[in-house]
Amino acid sequence: MKRLIYSFSVLLAFLSYFPVTSYGFIKKDTVINNTGFKIKTIIIDAGHGGKPSSSVGHFSHGASGEYSTERNVTLAIALKLQKAVEKDMSGVKAVLTRSNEDDVSFERRAEIANENKGDVFISIHCNSLSDRRVSRRVGTKHHKPVYKTSLVPDRSGKGVLLLVYALKRTREAENEIKRNQVEGESELDGGALDPNDPITIILTNEYKRKFRQQSINLATLLNKEFVETDGRPSEGIRDQSIYVLCHSSMPSVLVETGYINNPDDEAYLNSEDGQNTIVNSIVRALTNFKNEVEQVSK
């Protein structure tokens, strides 16, 4: 009974950490919340990169357009975003997962986010469509048409897309939350928390639920800025199995800023005006998210 009472008191203490907001289709719930939580650190992840600085881990060079590469575009946007966040969001530090052309493994990106105790993780990417198969008639044989199939570039994609981690990777997210959130509060129990202890399981699930709700909320705010303020086409918000999203123990959104293999989008993504517009949209969404989160934690 003493253990149960203690566990319940610890749970209440942990629940007070979480700001709660509504997400349109997610019902707003009520929890005890009086910790004055503040967003202090935003992790900015420039997707992909050039030559890996390490051979350990998983890497990807990303997509390419007619004259530019995803890895260069994402770095340019991330560097601008870091400056804008620290200039326009008072008291907030922006940490980059990479600041030069060297690639950083998926694993290391998540580690950087967690080591810096990030409150939000934003991963910047460019989208691309695979070549499509096209068949054309090239003649006849035995009175029957003969077709030849070839691959041609598909440049039909356009606009932004927001991604949050897929629920099928829940186990990975739980493990990261245990390591970076629940165990980080071990002083409440005088030592490392037992991962099989009921209170640890409850706390982990609560963190997971809140982080997912907050990720969807942030993605919704981002999408609103891109569409309603900038007039960009959008494919909306989707779940996807992405390593850095489920291994970053915080609200996380991957922003596909445009289709680099679409000529119009490529020009936009490489222009100063286009990059600045993208950065300003993200900063407005982050500011609105910060205000919402900190308002409900008062």
Side-chain angles (χ1 to χ4, degrees):
M1 178 59 73
K2 288 183 178 179
R3 174 62 180 168
L4 180 61
I5 294 173
Y6 171 77
S7 297
F8 183 70
S9 65
V10 173
L11 177 59
L12 290 179
F14 269 79
L15 289 180
S16 68
Y17 171 84
F18 293 104
V20 182
T21 56
S22 64
Y23 305 94
F25 57 89
I26 297 177
K27 184 179 179 181
K28 182 173 181 179
D29 53 354
T30 304
V31 294
I32 296 174
N33 206 324
N34 56 7
T35 61
F37 173 75
K38 301 287 184 182
I39 290 179
K40 298 178 180 179
T41 304
I42 294 174
I43 310 299
I44 301 171
D45 176 49
H48 306 285
K51 182 180 179 180
S53 56
S54 168
S55 60
V56 179
H58 298 85
F59 301 87
S60 170
H61 290 312
S64 297
E66 186 68 25
Y67 57 86
S68 64
T69 61
E70 178 179 10
R71 57 186 178 271
N72 290 335
V73 170
T74 59
L75 180 59
I77 293 174
L79 291 171
K80 288 182 171 69
L81 181 57
Q82 181 189 39
K83 291 180 180 179
V85 165
E86 295 188 342
K87 175 179 177 291
D88 298 335
M89 300 182 69
S90 178
V92 177
K93 178 175 68 173
V95 176
L96 294 170
T97 59
R98 72 177 178 100
S99 57
N100 55 45
E101 293 184 356
D102 287 350
D103 201 355
V104 177
S105 71
F106 302 157
E107 294 87 348
R108 182 58 188 148
R109 292 169 190 267
E111 287 175 358
I112 291 170
N114 294 327
E115 288 170 0
N116 284 275
K117 302 186 183 303
D119 300 304
V120 178
F121 182 88
I122 297 288
S123 189
I124 307 297
H125 285 256
C126 300
N127 221 335
S128 181
L129 290 176
S130 302
D131 292 347
R132 56 190 177 90
R133 292 184 177 275
V134 175
S135 296
R136 61 187 179 90
R137 184 171 178 173
V138 294
T140 56
K141 186 175 183 180
H142 304 303
H143 306 291
K144 293 182 179 180
V146 176
Y147 294 90
K148 181 179 179 180
T149 300
S150 59
L151 293 175
V152 299
D154 186 351
R155 309 189 191 283
S156 62
K158 190 167 186 174
V160 298
L161 171 66
L162 291 310
L163 302 177
V164 297
Y165 82 85
L167 289 175
K168 64 183 179 181
R169 298 194 77 158
T170 292
R171 179 64 63 185
E172 294 169 71
E174 289 175 354
N175 291 337
E176 294 301 327
I177 288 169
K178 286 177 183 177
R179 280 194 291 269
N180 295 286
Q181 298 290 345
V182 178
E183 290 181 4
E185 302 292 342
S186 60
E187 68 272 14
L188 291 174
D189 202 23
L193 293 175
D194 180 359
N196 297 315
D197 189 286
I199 188 62
T200 302
I201 295 171
I202 292 171
L203 296 177
T204 299
N205 287 335
E206 185 62 15
Y207 271 110
K208 180 181 66 178
R209 183 178 72 86
K210 294 299 180 184
F211 287 163
R212 180 166 173 79
Q213 285 183 335
Q214 291 168 346
S215 297
I216 294 171
N217 186 32
L218 177 55
T220 302
L221 292 171
L222 285 161
N223 193 59
K224 181 178 180 180
E225 291 297 334
F226 285 129
V227 174
E228 297 185 9
T229 304
D230 301 335
R232 298 284 308 282
S234 173
E235 297 180 352
I237 302 168
R238 298 180 190 170
D239 292 342
Q240 194 159 319
S241 297
I242 298 175
Y243 185 97
V244 292
L245 295 185
C246 68
H247 284 259
S248 300
S249 184
M250 62 202 69
S252 305
V253 179
L254 187 148
V255 182
E256 296 280 11
T257 55
Y259 280 83
I260 198 169
N261 71 334
N262 174 296
D264 292 337
D265 268 15
E266 183 177 19
Y268 182 82
L269 293 171
N270 281 276
S271 69
E272 284 294 314
D273 286 345
Q275 291 180 5
N276 288 334
T277 299
I278 291 168
V279 166
N280 291 337
S281 293
I282 295 174
V283 171
R284 287 194 302 270
L286 286 170
T287 300
N288 291 335
F289 178 74
K290 182 177 185 293
N291 291 339
E292 287 185 11
V293 165
E294 295 179 357
Q295 179 63 36
V296 297
S297 68
K298 289 181 179 180

